[in-house]
Amino acid sequence: MFGILICWALLFGEFVAVGYAEIPPLAAPAPQLAGDGNVVNQAQCAAQDLNALQAFKDEVSNFDQSLWKWNESCCSWEGVTCGENSRPRVLSLPSMALRGRISPWLGNLTALQVLNLSDNKFYGFIPGEISKLMNLEVVDLSMNNLSGPISFVADLQQLRFFNASSNLLEGLLPTFRNLISLEDFSVKNNSLEGPIDFGICLHAPNVSTLEFSMNTFTELIEMG
């Protein structure tokens, strides 16, 4: 109940929280050891993941080819962190002036838990295929030129942190009914519209940061 009261206070405080949380860290995967105690070399990444990362790179017009060397495991590439099964669980390339569209093939990185492409020059719609990333906990797409809706967020049931502030996003807020783990949500400085559902406080009682300012929201309503 205390968490719900805090959430309501955030909403009624001019629809914006006073604080802003940093991206929560994930624990680093433990290295795999051989019988003699030496670290085992990482296996090559699965074709599904390689194809997705290749498609992502191909959509970026100014990608530095030296960052991802195709004769090495993708787990050693810049901005890619893998779990024990050699599947990427982090894709983090912030503040690199990357320009292009976000490839829908990212939806095939099904082990991904963190996606951070903040402070770049990505444009166009955020692909709805991201909704297939059922393990995704952290999404930071802030400070780009992304447009269109964010309805895909409603399907990310493990989501804890979402930041898409300072873009060109349009449309309505997603439903928060399934986002029971949500803690931080920021969409400030966009062109989103419509009502804000204060049912978020019931569905996501651990919310500590909400940022809705600099949009065209109309009112607080209970949509459930």
Side-chain angles (χ1 to χ4, degrees), residues 156-201:
L156 302 176
Q157 298 185 24
Q158 302 300 316
L159 191 66
R160 294 188 293 124
F161 178 101
F162 182 81
N163 186 359
S165 60
S166 299
N167 278 286
L168 304 170
L169 301 174
E170 302 170 322
L172 304 176
L173 284 174
T175 177
F176 296 96
R177 181 178 298 275
N178 295 324
L179 304 183
I180 60 175
S181 299
L182 190 65
E183 299 174 9
D184 300 277
F185 186 86
S186 178
V187 289
K188 66 180 182 180
N189 193 22
N190 280 287
S191 297
L192 296 167
E193 59 186 357
I196 296 175
D197 175 13
F198 66 79
I200 183 177
C201 299

Side-chain angles (χ1 to χ4, degrees), residues 2-4 9 11 35 49 51 55 57 83 94 119 125 137 146 148 182 199:
F2 184 67
I4 293 175
L11 283 176
D49 297 326
N51 290 338
K57 182 180 72 69
D119 191 20
F125 281 24
E137 298 180 20
L146 296 165
L182 190 65

